[in-house]
Structure formats: C-alpha cells, structure tokens
C-alpha cells in the first residue's frame, strides 16, 4: 500500500506540480540551462530558485505530510472510520 501511495503522490503528483505548475509560475528553462558559474551570478534566477523551494516546502507541509499521516492512520489505526484517520493522523 505504501508503495502505491509513494508512486501516486511522489511519482505522479509531484511530477505534475513541479514540472507543469513550476513552469507556469517561474522561468525555469533559462536558469536550468546555464552553467554553474552563470547560475551563481543570476540574481533573478536565484530568487526564483528560492521561491520554488518555498513553494515546495509549503506543499510538503500543507499537503504531503497531512496526507501521509492520514493514510498511515487508515492503514495502522485499526478503524474503518475516516474521521478517526484524520484525528489520529493529524
């Protein structure tokens, strides 16, 4: 079950939002194609990288961790009641 959860969230969802959403929010192609020496001097690119990191950590904190612990409570909690999963998981 956790393999399926990992494939669904870490594989499908993270790929979708980090590739599709980040491309819409940030100019990732220009920064990623530069050599390291140019990246270190590109202040706009570094600001964009910091913003991407902040968005990723926000998604991790607000979406992934609660989802993971609720899923874990549903598997190991011993209850079929979804409200118990939420109360145990969070």
């Amino acid at each position: 079950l956790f393999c399926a959860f990992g494939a669904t969230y870490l594989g499908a969802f993270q790929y979708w939002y980090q590739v599709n959403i980040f491309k819409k929010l940030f100019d990732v192609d220009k920064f990623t194609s530069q050599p390291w020496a140019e990246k270190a001097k590109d202040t706009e690119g570094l600001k964009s990288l910091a913003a991407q990191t902040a968005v990723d950590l926000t998604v991790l904190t607000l979406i992934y961790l609660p989802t993971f612990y609720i899923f874990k409570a549903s598997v190991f909690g011993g209850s079929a009641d979804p409200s118990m999963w939420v109360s145990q998981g969070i």
Side-chain angles (χ1 to χ4, degrees), residues 61-84:
T61 304
L62 299 178
I63 297 175
Y64 174 71
L65 291 176
T67 304
F68 173 78
Y69 285 113
I70 290 169
F71 180 78
K72 182 179 174 186
S74 73
V75 173
F76 296 112
S79 174
D81 181 15
S83 66
M84 289 299 295

Side-chain angles (χ1 to χ4, degrees), residues 2 4 8 11 13 30 32 36 40 42-43 45-47 51-52 54 56-57 62 73 80-82 89-90:
F2 281 95
T8 302
F13 175 73
K30 178 187 170 207
T32 56
W36 281 99
D42 185 1
T43 56
L46 292 171
K47 287 179 187 178
Q52 290 175 51
D56 194 31
L57 289 173
L62 299 178
D81 181 15
I90 295 181

Side-chain angles (χ1 to χ4, degrees), residues 10-53:
L10 299 172
F13 175 73
Q14 274 197 328
Y15 176 83
W16 171 77
Y17 100 85
Q18 287 184 345
V19 172
N20 297 320
I21 301 301
F22 278 19
K23 277 188 180 181
K24 291 178 183 174
L25 294 176
F26 308 104
D27 184 21
V28 295
D29 292 330
K30 178 187 170 207
F31 187 75
T32 56
S33 64
Q34 294 175 341
W36 281 99
E38 288 182 33
K39 286 180 186 177
K41 297 174 188 172
D42 185 1
T43 56
E44 289 302 314
L46 292 171
K47 287 179 187 178
S48 177
L49 179 62
Q52 290 175 51
T53 303

